[in-house]
Amino acid sequence: EKSRQYWVTQVDRALHFIDVAEKGVPANMWVDLPPENIPKYVQMFREARIEIANQGIYNKRGLNIVKRARCDVRPSGAECASKTEVD
């Protein structure tokens, strides 16, 4: 419980760091994907995460936790239909 309480107090700080990092990216480096291409990228990133996990670089349990977070934010995502991030 104490750990959860601590991390809840760190959310705003983490979002601040993300905001600062995003603002440091030059505008010409941002790419807005056409909506029809987004599912392809989502699948590509999922396959990359799985491959890296299978190589032992990513922690499979951690990937499943992060997947749950993504699916809480966007439950309609195609990856949310599968049971695990890393089969």
Side-chain angles (χ1 to χ4, degrees):
E1 180 64 26
K2 287 184 179 186
S3 176
R4 283 191 292 270
Q5 288 174 354
Y6 171 77
W7 286 110
V8 164
T9 67
Q10 299 303 305
V11 171
D12 289 337
R13 183 174 180 233
L15 292 175
H16 170 74
F17 284 123
I18 292 168
D19 188 48
V20 169
E22 284 182 349
K23 287 178 179 171
V25 175
N28 65 333
M29 299 302 291
W30 284 105
V31 176
D32 290 318
L33 296 174
E36 64 272 12
N37 288 353
I38 292 174
K40 296 175 198 170
Y41 277 87
V42 169
Q43 182 62 30
M44 179 182 67
F45 290 138
R46 181 175 189 271
E47 290 171 3
R49 287 191 299 272
I50 291 169
E51 178 61 31
I52 293 170
N54 288 337
Q55 292 175 17
I57 297 170
Y58 276 6
N59 177 284
K60 292 180 182 184
R61 184 173 177 204
L63 285 176
N64 283 315
I65 292 168
V66 174
K67 177 190 172 190
R68 284 196 331 235
R70 285 193 308 273
C71 291
D72 280 349
V73 172
R74 193 171 151 257
S76 62
E79 68 178 332
C80 300
S82 66
K83 282 202 172 269
T84 60
E85 177 64 23
V86 181
D87 300 325

